[in-house]
């Protein structure tokens, strides 16, 4: 190492003593003597300050840039308006309308696809409207499905593209995304397996702390990825991100919720959004117009009982279908059961108290959460007397179907767990 910690301190340089504690008045006096620094605290000599003062140069550079931009606006008025829109973090005026039309189209068509594929479909629908989007993947583009119809790779000899092949560099990818967001004028998104958010964790936290828009496409989001085994199967990662301040997390249950999640991520300008997406196909869920509108509220009643519910299932992602089928079986036995799909807990918690109460009535205490991720997170919703069908261990290496059965993600087990508290 070419640097010395505490350089100039006769008694403490090169030692841990000067890392986390003040030097002390006596040692500071010795440092001043050794470095020949006679100036008092917080005084910068004028000859040094003048060398570092870039105000005049900066003001001149800014004035020159402003003059050039005025000329640019006169020569290219439409391009100038577009540049200002991007630099000011404004979406195209028709984005919300076109995105909503796409969501309604999906609801009508009802595609049965993996949510990672639904994510690519959303990119194909939204990216032509948003030329500021810059995508990428950490060497998993073919699995994350982050390449859209508008994607063009950025190469050493051609920087005109909008897609970066980051290689196996999850932290580097997310840190670069932070840099693009801080620069302004870009909307970065990047993909990898959910488990590999661990490698990028610091960059994710910094995006949340700095309130920067970055969109993470995290696929293969549960034991449902199968034979790659516990090293690749995320368990605690969703809870980790959900507990990070200012991080928005979506785990959609079908193509419709995925499109809504992408729309929310695009419209959110003051922080990052993580999309948790499945490898396996997910069933399409039927919704009326009100339910479709309520998806954007993060949690909503997907299936309701004819009378006041005796039991509420709360589920996300690939387990929503499981909760719906368990509710059907219990309803056939005469039970009043509600199913709440909760793709985004932070978005749901941002809703007004009346709406939250309408979805999860406080006097209905029989609740079961179903999610193929760490179980403990869901006690805040089901209470200590509720039940959770979730993960309490690492996964195993086996086909997805066998894993779901082994860990209790079956209709029979969900029904049995629910009947314990009915």
């Amino acid at each position: 190492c070419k640097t010395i910690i505490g350089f100039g301190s006769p008694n403490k340089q090169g030692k841990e003593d000067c890392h986390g504690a003040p030097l002390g008045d006596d040692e500071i006096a010795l440092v001043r003597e050794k470095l020949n620094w006679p100036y008092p605290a917080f005084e910068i000599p004028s000859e040094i300050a003048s060398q570092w003062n870039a105000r005049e140069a900066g003001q001149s550079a800014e004035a020159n840039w402003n003059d050039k931009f005025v000329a640019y606006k006169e020569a290219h008025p439409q391009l100038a308006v577009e540049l200002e829109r991007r630099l000011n973090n404004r979406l195209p005026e028709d984005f919300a309308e076109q995105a909503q039309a796409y969501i309604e189209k999906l609801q009508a068509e009802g595609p049965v696809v993996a949510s990672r594929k639904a994510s690519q479909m959303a990119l194909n629908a939204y990216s032509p409207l948003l030329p500021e989007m810059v995508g990428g993947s950490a060497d998993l583009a073919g699995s994350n499905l982050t390449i859209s119809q508008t994607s063009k790779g950025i190469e050493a000899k051609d920087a005109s593209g909008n897609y970066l092949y980051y290689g196996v560099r999850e932290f580097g990818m997310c840190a670069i995304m932070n840099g693009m967001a801080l620069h302004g004028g870009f909307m970065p998104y990047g993909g990898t397996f959910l488990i590999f958010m661990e490698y990028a964790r610091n960059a994710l936290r910094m995006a949340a702390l700095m309130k920067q828009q970055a969109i993470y496409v995290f696929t293969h989001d549960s034991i449902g990825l199968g034979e790659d085994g516990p090293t690749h199967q995320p368990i605690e990662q969703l809870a980790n991100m959900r507990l990070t301040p200012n991080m928005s997390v979506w785990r959609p249950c079908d193509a419709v919720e995925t499109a809504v999640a992408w729309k929310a991520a695009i419209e959110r300008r003051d922080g990052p959004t993580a999309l948790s997406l499945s490898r396996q196909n997910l069933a399409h869920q039927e919704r009326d117009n009100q339910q479709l509108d309520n998806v954007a509220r993060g949690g909503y009643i997907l299936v309701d009982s004819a009378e006041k519910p005796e039991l509420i299932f709360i589920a996300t992602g690939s387990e929503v279908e499981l909760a719906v089928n368990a509710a059907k079986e219990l309803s056939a036995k005469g039970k009043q059961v509600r199913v709440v799909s909760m793709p985004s807990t932070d978005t749901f918690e941002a809703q007004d108290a009346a709406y939250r109460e309408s979805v999860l009535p406080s006097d209905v205490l029989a609740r079961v959460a179903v999610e193929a991720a760490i179980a403990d997170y869901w006690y805040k919703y089901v209470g200590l007397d509720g039940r959770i069908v979730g993960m309490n261990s690492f996964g195993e290496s086996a086909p997805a179907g066998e894993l779901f059965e082994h860990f209790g993600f079956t209709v029979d087990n969900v029904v049995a767990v629910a009947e314990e508290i009915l």
Side-chain angles (χ1 to χ4, degrees):
C1 180
K2 297 181 180 180
T3 61
I4 300 174
I5 191 170
F7 178 78
S9 173
N11 299 308
K12 296 186 178 182
Q13 73 173 24
K15 300 177 182 179
E16 63 182 27
D17 298 10
C18 57
H19 185 192
L23 293 176
D25 293 341
D26 293 341
E27 191 69 13
I28 288 174
L30 293 174
V31 172
R32 291 179 180 280
E33 182 180 344
K34 183 171 183 177
L35 298 180
N36 190 26
W37 188 260
Y39 308 100
F42 303 110
E43 179 180 319
I44 302 174
S46 58
E47 62 270 23
I48 294 177
S50 63
Q51 294 180 39
W52 286 86
N53 191 334
R55 289 176 182 172
E56 289 187 11
Q59 290 170 350
S60 176
E62 183 177 357
N64 289 338
W65 191 93
N66 288 335
D67 290 341
K68 288 180 180 178
F69 191 60
V70 169
Y72 180 78
K73 289 175 73 172
E74 292 176 355
H76 308 285
Q78 291 182 326
L79 290 176
V81 168
E82 175 66 7
L83 178 59
E84 287 183 316
R85 178 189 71 77
R86 299 189 202 181
L87 291 175
N88 290 319
N89 281 337
R90 294 197 307 267
L91 292 173
E93 291 183 1
D94 63 344
F95 172 75
E97 180 182 350
Q98 294 206 43
Q100 186 61 32
Y102 173 68
I103 291 166
E104 292 172 4
K105 178 173 177 287
L106 280 180
Q107 185 62 52
E109 294 177 349
V112 176
V113 295
S115 53
R116 61 172 175 153
K117 179 61 179 177
S119 170
Q120 186 180 50
M121 292 162 57
L123 277 171
N124 283 334
Y126 298 158
S127 61
L129 310 175
L130 301 165
E132 61 264 44
M133 293 187 86
V134 177
S137 175
D139 204 44
L140 287 168
S143 294
N144 303 144
L145 302 181
T146 44
I147 297 177
S148 76
Q149 63 185 8
T150 62
S151 295
K152 177 185 176 183
I154 296 172
E155 302 175 1
K157 296 181 180 180
D158 183 2
S160 65
N162 61 357
Y163 192 91
L164 284 160
Y165 294 94
Y166 289 99
V168 188
R169 300 180 181 91
E170 292 85 0
F171 172 76
M173 174 180 72
C174 294
I176 289 169
M177 289 165 62
N178 287 350
M180 285 191 281
L182 286 162
H183 176 278
F186 299 103
M187 185 183 293
Y189 71 89
T192 187
F193 287 1
L194 175 55
I195 190 67
F196 298 140
M197 62 75 66
E198 296 286 355
Y199 297 128
R201 172 65 186 149
N202 180 258
L204 268 65
R205 188 175 189 271
M206 288 304 298
L209 189 154
M210 296 186 295
K211 300 181 180 180
Q212 296 302 304
Q213 182 181 35
I215 302 173
Y216 310 114
V217 182
F218 291 139
T219 68
H220 297 62
D221 72 344
S222 75
I223 57 172
L225 68 84
E227 290 86 346
D228 280 349
T231 58
H232 285 56
Q233 292 165 359
I235 303 295
E236 72 276 22
Q237 285 67 34
L238 273 172
N240 184 313
M241 292 190 296
R242 285 168 175 158
L243 293 171
T244 300
N246 198 40
M247 174 74 70
S248 187
V249 181
W250 286 78
R251 187 170 187 251
C253 77
D254 64 2
V256 172
E257 286 192 358
T258 305
V260 173
W262 260 108
K263 181 175 181 286
I266 288 167
E267 292 176 339
R268 184 172 193 245
R269 313 300 270 183
D270 59 354
T273 301
L275 308 178
S276 176
L277 307 170
S278 73
R279 178 191 184 191
Q280 71 274 30
N281 285 350
L282 304 180
H284 172 71
Q285 300 298 329
E286 294 297 326
R287 301 172 183 87
D288 60 27
N289 290 337
Q290 187 61 62
Q291 288 171 311
L292 186 60
D293 289 343
N294 286 342
V295 175
R297 305 187 79 164
Y300 64 101
I301 301 168
L302 178 63
V303 176
D304 209 2
S305 51
E307 301 174 14
K308 181 177 179 177
E310 302 172 77
L311 172 84
I312 300 175
F313 283 124
I314 308 169
T316 79
S318 50
E319 287 68 67
V320 168
E321 178 185 5
L322 179 58
V324 169
N325 290 336
K328 289 178 181 177
E329 187 165 317
L330 287 167
S331 296
K333 297 179 179 180
K335 303 299 182 182
Q336 301 295 319
V337 182
R338 171 179 293 181
V339 178
V340 171
S341 177
M342 194 173 289
S344 178
T345 57
D346 60 277
T347 303
F348 178 73
E349 288 165 12
Q351 305 304 308
D352 61 85
Y355 177 76
R356 298 197 308 271
E357 176 69 17
S358 72
V359 176
L360 297 175
S362 54
D363 61 348
V364 181
L365 301 180
R367 301 179 181 186
V368 178
V370 189
E371 183 179 64
I374 196 70
D376 281 2
Y377 176 82
W378 289 98
Y379 281 113
K380 66 188 292 186
Y381 291 103
V382 303
L384 295 179
D385 295 325
R387 297 290 186 273
I388 302 166
V389 179
M391 296 294 295
N392 294 292
S393 68
F394 294 114
E396 299 288 349
S397 178
E402 294 180 19
L403 289 170
F404 280 122
E405 184 173 357
H406 174 75
F407 287 106
F409 294 97
T410 65
V411 172
D412 287 346
N413 184 57
V414 173
V415 168
V417 169
E419 288 178 334
E420 291 177 7
I421 54 175
L422 277 173

